[in-house]
Amino acid sequence: MNNVEYPEEILESLEDYNIDIRDFLPGHGKGAKLLLDFNRISGVEQVEGVILKGREIENGIVADIIIKEGTKIEEPIHLCFGVNKETGVQEIFPRIIAEDNTDVTVQAHCSFPKANGLIHKMFGHFYIGKNCNFTYSETHYHGENSGALVAPVGYMYVGENSIFENNFTLTRGTPGKVKILIDIYAMKNSVIKSNIRAFGKCKKDSIRIRDSVFLEGENARSIIKMKAAAKDGGEVLMYGVTEGNAPRCNGHVECNEIVLGKGSICRARPFIRAIDPTSSVSHEASLGRFPQKWLDELQAKGLTEEEATQILIEAMLQEE
Amino acid sequence: MILETHDLTIPTIDEKCVIINKVSFGVKEGSIHAIIGPNGSGKSTLAYTIMGLNNYKPSSGKIYFDGIDITNMSISERANLGITLAWQEPARIDGLSIPKYISLGIKDKVNTKEIISEALNIVNLEPERYMKRNIDESLSGGERKRVELAAAIAMRPRLIILDEPDSGLDFIVIEDFLNIFGKIKELNMTILLITHREDIGMVADYGTLIWRGDSLMTDVFPKVMLRYCAKAGLKEFCKRKLFNGKQQCFDEDYIDKIFKEEQGQ
């Protein structure tokens, strides 16, 4: 499918990601692509070793993304779940299967630039085979009206000797109401890195994220890094869970949150559990403001305190 | 004078003790002026107060920059007048890239990249290697200090306050830092150098000796250093190391005279 028409507003909302936005469209750039315009599949492009199949349903789509055994591709598989409407319901049911010995990155953009009463739900299953190197990055933009209700749920199974990196970013625009549940099951010798970043910017923004890793296989390792900021009445709850359920597994949860302005609330709830005596699970959390010395250092460059704080927030929420 | 303090008194945060007591001195434009004194004498407190840091407020006295009273100005107002400070232990911040950090103080937004490269070259960091890195824990102490210096240089300030730039560095690196100070001076920037080391201070044109919160003297640097040694009772060190060889500026009789004066007090 070539030269797909796709709403300019959605493409423009992706411009800040240092990418040529036209490369997202089928017929342009490299890599496999699946584009959704509200509840209509508007573009699909497959590459060798990657199967993308989607089916439209009443309020969204069911999609299969299958990476065939041994496939190693440099260009990310791009998924764009865009809605260029103020209201409506978009439901996505993706199933991502990475067969053994694959090496891929999936970049998903969920962009709702006009959201004002819009509901986006996702119920995803990821099956990562053995000896894989799999990165899933999901970047959200919900417009500037705090008008979205976003509730994705992801279950991710990571096979033996695989490396799985999960990145979720919601730092531009105003999030609205966001409730995210991620459960990652890590098998023998697997390595999980999960990075969550979110920024609540006003009273109408409420973000609740539970990111859980279950270390089910011997010697599985994980690190969850949750970073958030809340300002001007925004509210963020980061709930990082790690369970050590297998011999010699090792996990860590880290939550750092910054509170700015009256009425803003940050909460961090690291929850760790170990049932194997040889496992090791730890956590650390910090809430509050940036160290005064950091602010002083930036102000000595001529920035005001507000500008210095903004730079530090951007740095903290930077995608790694 | 580009910088002057008049009877500056700085208390502790709880205002129960005085750290700096009625200190007055002036810094000539284009010079390297060292503030020397032993650990705990109040040198860094003086530097932070001149920069205007939030927890360092004078209880009395005035600070003038180029004739303007800056005593009650904010840190960023002072920075915008042309003062900056390179910290003794600069912060490491995840996610903040070296070019972004250096660019924060650059006013020329058209040639930012060139200015960053030039500043990195001055501090002997290869731009192509360091442009992609962050000011995080991956940098060594020496690298982080060089980036701090580069950020200060890139601002093109009129006065750079260097707080203990030598701390935690080995002697080879220190030699390199001394060369960097020379390059900064060539760029017509004035350096206020906070140090307690005689080898670092020897690059200075002038000095002020701070002793237990008091300023004892301001003069050409060798005289100030000699007084510091006399105050500390370090006569042999003074003769053997400090004013030996090329740096010989006083004959032994003069040194003995200064030491006797101090012992007589």
Side-chain angles (χ1 to χ4, degrees):
Chain A
M1 191 184 292
N2 286 340
N3 300 320
V4 168
E5 291 294 322
Y6 201 66
E8 280 296 324
E9 289 89 343
I10 296 175
L11 291 174
E12 283 169 8
S13 72
L14 306 177
E15 271 182 337
D16 283 354
Y17 296 108
N18 294 324
I19 42 179
D20 184 343
I21 55 173
R22 297 285 150 192
D23 285 351
F24 287 149
L25 300 177
H28 298 267
K30 295 174 183 172
K33 303 166 183 85
L34 171 66
L35 274 73
L36 196 61
D37 179 6
F38 190 38
N39 292 325
R40 187 176 64 85
I41 297 169
S42 59
V44 179
E45 186 164 301
Q46 300 183 113
V47 298
E48 192 179 344
V50 178
I51 298 168
L52 292 173
K53 296 283 181 197
R55 178 167 59 85
E56 293 171 4
I57 56 173
E58 187 182 352
N59 282 322
I61 65 156
V62 175
D64 269 344
I65 296 137
I66 300 165
I67 298 106
K68 299 297 290 176
E69 185 174 355
T71 300
K72 297 182 196 307
I73 43 176
E74 282 186 17
E75 292 296 325
I77 297 167
H78 182 240
L79 311 176
C80 191
F81 304 129
V83 181
N84 196 32
K85 292 156 64 81
E86 289 188 11
T87 60
V89 178
Q90 184 192 54
E91 293 177 332
I92 317 284
F93 296 88
R95 184 172 61 161
I96 298 180
I97 300 169
E99 294 182 355
D100 295 348
N101 305 308
T102 52
D103 187 344
V104 291
T105 294
V106 175
Q107 172 66 60
H109 281 106
C110 298
S111 185
F112 320 125
K114 294 180 178 170
N116 203 357
L118 181 83
I119 297 171
H120 164 89
K121 292 181 178 176
M122 190 179 88
F123 194 75
H125 282 83
F126 292 52
Y127 302 94
I128 314 299
K130 295 176 183 173
N131 308 310
C132 296
N133 191 350
F134 189 94
T135 299
Y136 179 75
S137 296
E138 187 170 307
T139 304
H140 280 237
Y141 174 62
H142 301 172
E144 307 294 335
N145 302 313
S146 299
L149 170 62
V150 174
V153 176
Y155 293 106
M156 299 154 178
Y157 305 88
V158 182
E160 285 182 23
N161 303 312
S162 287
I163 298 169
F164 176 65
E165 183 173 331
N166 176 55
N167 300 305
F168 176 85
T169 307
L170 174 53
T171 55
R172 287 181 54 227
T174 50
K177 301 266 181 281
V178 179
K179 191 172 181 181
I180 298 171
L181 293 174
I182 301 166
D183 283 353
I184 304 171
Y185 297 86
M187 300 304 143
K188 187 177 176 183
N189 293 328
S190 61
V191 176
I192 313 296
K193 300 175 206 169
S194 190
N195 301 303
I196 309 290
R197 282 164 180 76
F199 192 0
K201 293 173 183 165
C202 65
K203 277 195 285 191
K204 288 161 77 179
D205 291 340
S206 169
I207 303 166
R208 288 162 186 254
I209 300 176
R210 194 192 78 185
D211 189 7
S212 308
V213 176
F214 303 96
L215 299 165
E216 301 295 340
E218 184 180 347
N219 205 33
R221 285 160 287 156
S222 68
I223 182 160
I224 298 175
K225 288 188 179 180
M226 308 181 91
K227 296 188 176 185
K231 75 170 189 179
D232 298 339
E235 184 187 350
V236 180
L237 166 63
M238 292 285 192
Y239 190 17
V241 178
T242 298
E243 289 193 4
N245 298 333
R248 290 174 293 285
C249 64
N250 189 323
H252 183 69
V253 183
E254 193 179 304
C255 299
N256 301 109
E257 299 180 42
I258 296 295
V259 192
L260 301 161
K262 280 188 177 176
S264 311
I265 304 172
C266 277
R267 296 189 187 96
R269 287 188 194 151
F271 176 88
I272 55 176
R273 189 179 86 135
I275 60 166
D276 189 285
T278 61
S279 64
S280 168
V281 188
S282 58
H283 75 82
E284 60 183 289
S286 69
L287 305 176
R289 56 171 289 166
F290 291 113
Q292 185 60 48
K293 182 171 178 288
W294 292 15
L295 293 167
D296 285 343
E297 282 193 27
L298 299 195
Q299 285 177 263
K301 311 272 179 293
L303 305 184
T304 62
E305 184 167 344
E306 291 71 33
E307 289 167 338
T309 301
Q310 188 59 38
I311 294 288
L312 291 172
I313 288 173
E314 284 170 15
M316 186 180 85
L317 300 177
Q318 188 74 33
E319 285 183 72
E320 285 177 0
Chain B
M1 295 289 172
I2 191 165
L3 179 78
E4 286 175 273
T5 69
H6 290 188
D7 290 330
L8 198 64
T9 297
I10 309 164
T12 52
I13 293 172
D14 61 10
E15 299 189 349
K16 287 182 178 170
C17 303
V18 168
I19 303 172
I20 289 289
N21 184 33
K22 293 187 176 178
V23 164
S24 299
F25 69 97
V27 176
K28 280 189 184 168
E29 184 150 24
S31 68
I32 299 180
H33 189 113
I35 303 287
I36 58 166
N39 287 332
S41 57
K43 304 183 299 295
S44 291
T45 297
L46 184 59
Y48 297 156
T49 306
I50 292 168
M51 189 66 243
L53 268 57
N54 287 307
N55 290 331
Y56 298 84
K57 303 286 181 203
S59 56
S60 63
K62 294 283 183 191
I63 307 168
Y64 295 93
F65 179 73
D66 204 17
I68 301 167
D69 182 355
I70 62 166
T71 316
N72 296 314
M73 283 188 181
S74 70
I75 179 169
S76 41
E77 284 172 324
R78 294 179 204 212
N80 286 319
L81 273 181
I83 307 174
T84 195
L85 189 150
W87 263 257
Q88 185 179 157
E89 286 181 22
R92 293 157 185 281
I93 301 166
D94 283 343
L96 187 54
S97 73
I98 288 174
K100 175 76 178 176
Y101 183 67
I102 295 174
S103 74
L104 293 177
I106 298 175
K107 291 185 177 63
D108 177 355
K109 299 298 179 194
V110 179
N111 301 304
T112 306
K113 202 174 171 190
E114 291 74 18
I115 296 169
I116 294 169
S117 290
E118 186 192 3
L120 285 170
N121 278 321
I122 289 171
V123 299
N124 296 328
L125 293 178
E126 299 146 47
E128 52 280 9
R129 265 188 76 195
Y130 288 89
M131 283 292 206
K132 292 173 187 164
R133 294 183 64 179
N134 286 345
I135 55 162
D136 56 18
E137 296 295 337
S138 69
L139 292 179
S140 71
E143 286 174 320
R144 181 65 188 87
K145 275 176 181 283
R146 284 174 200 268
V147 171
E148 189 65 10
L149 269 178
I153 293 165
M155 282 178 72
R156 291 286 184 271
R158 293 177 65 194
L159 174 69
I160 300 184
I161 305 169
L162 301 178
D163 184 24
E164 306 268 9
D166 51 291
S167 68
L169 302 179
D170 59 48
F171 71 95
I172 296 171
V173 178
I174 286 172
E175 189 67 29
D176 195 24
F177 269 58
L178 295 179
N179 291 330
I180 294 169
F181 299 162
K183 290 182 199 170
I184 295 173
K185 196 178 167 188
E186 284 170 17
L187 291 169
N188 296 321
M189 296 176 202
T190 307
I191 296 177
L192 183 62
L193 178 62
I194 311 297
T195 185
H196 62 271
R197 288 182 52 146
E198 79 293 340
D199 52 349
I200 294 291
M202 288 310 258
V203 297
D205 306 300
Y206 302 95
T208 295
L209 173 59
I210 302 288
W211 190 271
R212 294 176 187 158
D214 296 320
S215 69
L216 295 187
M217 69 181 294
T218 295
D219 209 324
V220 291
F221 186 78
K223 281 191 174 177
V224 176
M225 197 67 220
L226 177 59
R227 181 68 65 177
Y228 180 22
C229 290
K231 198 84 189 154
L234 299 171
K235 194 170 185 181
E236 284 311 308
F237 167 83
C238 183
K239 285 184 177 175
R240 173 169 40 88
K241 190 172 176 187
L242 196 53
F243 299 116
N244 198 11
K246 289 177 188 172
Q247 291 170 341
Q248 183 77 46
C249 3
F250 309 112
D251 59 33
E252 291 216 6
D253 290 345
Y254 183 75
I255 293 173
D256 288 339
K257 177 175 168 277
I258 298 295
F259 271 77
K260 275 180 190 164
E261 276 178 20
E262 280 301 327
Q263 284 159 11
Q265 283 179 3

